[in-house]
Amino acid sequence: MDMDSFELGDLANPRCYTEPLDIGGCDPVLLRAQLRMMLLIRRVEEKIGDMLAAQKIPTPCHLGIGQEAIAVGVSEYLRPTDRVFGAHRSHAHFLALGGEVTALMAEILGRDAGCSRGMGGSMHLWGGSVGFFGSVPIVAGTVPLAVGAALAAKKDGESAVAVVYLGDGAAEEGSIHESLNLAAVWKLPVLFVCENNLFSSHMHISLRQPSNRVARYAEAHCIQAATVDGNDLVVVSRTSDDMVAAMRDGGGPRFLEVVTYRWRGHVGYREDNDVGVNRSTDLTLWKRRDPIRRLVDALTMAGGWDNHAFHAMDEAVKTEVEKAWQQAETAPYPPASALLDRVYAERH
Ligand SMILES: Cc1ncc(C[n+]2csc(CCOP(=O)(O)OP(=O)(O)O)c2C)c(N)n1
């Protein structure tokens, strides 16, 4: 849905958009694969949450439970040659591109088998082979990098696009506007995906901005934008598919704002009702807009799918996650001699 208004309206109202997804015209095989990926991401993050609670993880982790449809929908039409950038809450971005669960778990545990060789932890993920060019904890830090990656693709005459995930909080950084402006002026193939979960740390957007619709910034920079329900896999998928296709055709940058809500706190496994904000009522309502449940309901209504099928899929996913955790937990740490590797660049 394209919106001209400054306000999100019903998209920010958790009492709306709770119905089963409209999956008319969708490929059921693809939908089940996407459902499995959303489930995998959720079970991985729940496991990480449990292990944080058990104090088995030494690094801070930002969980995106409840936001799974975004990474899965956006990643569907990307290629391994594209350049995708995340931020501090990027487990889903990494996994949805095909990043390995064990490599993520091992990274979080600081093991050599981690996707950044155990040197980065949850907020420094890397997956070059699947097109994940990295996540960093500096809010908005990867946004100008994605613009640079898009510039490189354009200069090299490649059809690759750059994608960067950013939050509504990141949109308050000045570098966002410089990035949007440059991308627009030079017509760069970069997709800005703003995961508007209404919070920056513990502060609601109504306390930080005069309007809650972030895409207005893109429009001010003459970038085509859409604001959609981020908990609707089908809508996210279709919109990003259209946007990526237009970018590959030389159409310049696009801005996709996906409205969602994170179920856990800003950082850690708790729900954040104990850090100065009490969002328990909203959280209960937002859980009814669960992207997984809405897809499951739609598949069930369409036939050929039932609770039994869902349960079997879920059990297989949980087994996979447990296995990955065991592997990561028993994997060796990097040798002490590797401590300064990749800290300084080699002189050539
Ligand atoms: C430049 C910078 N400023 C502040 C922080 C502290 N910080 C970490 S995450 C965060 C909130 C970011 O919110 P948002 O971009 O909406 O992403 P979300 O956490 O909602 O996914 C802040 C302020 C930081 N890491 N980097």
Side-chain angles (χ1 to χ4, degrees):
M1 176 189 1
D2 284 302
M3 299 172 70
D4 295 326
S5 123
F6 279 134
E7 294 299 327
L8 291 175
D10 285 348
L11 282 175
N13 179 354
R15 288 188 169 79
C16 304
Y17 297 95
T18 54
E19 65 280 6
L21 303 186
D22 178 357
I23 56 172
C26 296
D27 173 1
V29 176
L30 174 61
L31 281 181
R32 284 176 204 188
Q34 290 177 312
L35 171 63
R36 192 183 194 286
M37 181 56 85
M38 288 203 291
L39 256 184
L40 180 72
I41 293 167
R42 178 159 305 177
R43 299 301 178 222
V44 164
E45 291 214 297
E46 285 173 347
K47 179 72 188 178
I48 294 170
D50 291 348
M51 294 300 98
L52 283 166
Q55 299 190 325
K56 292 208 167 177
I57 296 180
T59 171
C61 292
H62 302 72
L63 303 175
I65 295 173
Q67 305 188 181
E68 298 87 352
I70 298 163
V72 175
V74 169
S75 300
E76 191 57 54
Y77 299 96
L78 299 179
R79 304 169 182 164
T81 44
D82 291 327
R83 296 123 195 232
V84 182
F85 295 81
H88 54 286
R89 197 180 305 285
S90 277
H91 302 158
H93 308 149
F94 173 82
L95 292 174
L97 286 170
E100 284 179 16
V101 179
T102 313
L104 172 67
M105 301 281 206
E107 188 55 43
I108 286 170
L109 288 168
R111 310 300 164 115
D112 202 28
C115 58
S116 299
R117 305 287 303 271
M119 299 287 181
S122 162
M123 293 185 279
H124 297 91
L125 306 177
W126 169 260
S129 63
V130 294
F132 192 63
F133 273 36
S135 61
V136 299
I138 307 301
V139 169
T142 48
V143 179
L145 301 184
V147 174
L151 174 61
K154 188 168 177 169
K155 274 179 165 289
D156 292 343
E158 294 174 14
S159 62
V161 301
V163 176
V164 61
Y165 293 96
L166 60 134
D168 47 293
E172 290 154 10
E173 295 286 345
S175 62
I176 295 288
H177 298 277
E178 295 162 357
S179 300
L180 291 171
N181 182 61
L182 203 62
V185 170
W186 287 349
K187 292 200 170 27
L188 301 178
V190 52
L191 176 63
F192 302 90
V193 181
C194 179
E195 296 181 284
N196 186 349
N197 60 18
L198 309 173
F199 276 91
S200 174
S201 298
H202 312 107
M203 236 190 193
H204 192 262
I205 195 165
S206 57
L207 300 169
R208 304 170 359 239
Q209 298 194 31
S211 143
N212 60 7
R213 184 170 167 265
V214 178
R216 70 191 192 279
Y217 293 140
E219 286 156 0
H221 289 282
C222 306
I223 292 178
Q224 277 190 38
T227 299
V228 303
D229 173 10
N231 289 14
D232 183 332
L233 173 78
V234 175
V235 167
V236 173
S237 217
R238 281 192 182 136
T239 314
S240 65
D241 183 25
D242 288 349
M243 288 185 158
V244 168
M247 292 187 341
R248 287 199 207 283
D249 267 0
R254 293 290 187 277
F255 191 99
L256 175 57
E257 178 177 15
V258 274
V259 183
T260 187
Y261 203 81
R262 63 171 155 70
W263 292 9
R264 298 294 176 98
H266 167 61
V267 61
Y269 65 91
R270 292 194 178 84
E271 290 190 339
D272 258 12
N273 292 314
D274 51 355
V275 286
V277 281
N278 187 340
R279 40 175 222 142
S280 51
T281 308
D282 273 2
L283 183 55
T284 305
L285 290 171
W286 271 96
K287 285 184 178 175
R288 296 187 199 153
R289 206 196 268 189
D290 179 359
I292 294 180
R293 201 262 312 145
R294 285 166 73 202
L295 177 55
V296 169
D297 286 354
L299 287 169
T300 308
M301 277 167 60
W305 181 262
D306 55 19
N307 258 343
H308 181 72
F310 176 74
H311 192 67
M313 180 186 272
D314 198 21
E315 284 307 308
V317 165
K318 284 179 181 165
T319 305
E320 184 182 336
V321 171
E322 280 307 318
K323 212 169 138 194
W325 176 261
Q326 305 287 334
Q327 276 176 0
E329 216 183 13
T330 51
Y333 288 104
S337 60
L339 207 56
L340 294 183
D341 287 357
R342 284 165 279 131
V343 174
Y344 300 103
E346 300 260 327
R347 264 174 200 258
H348 293 292

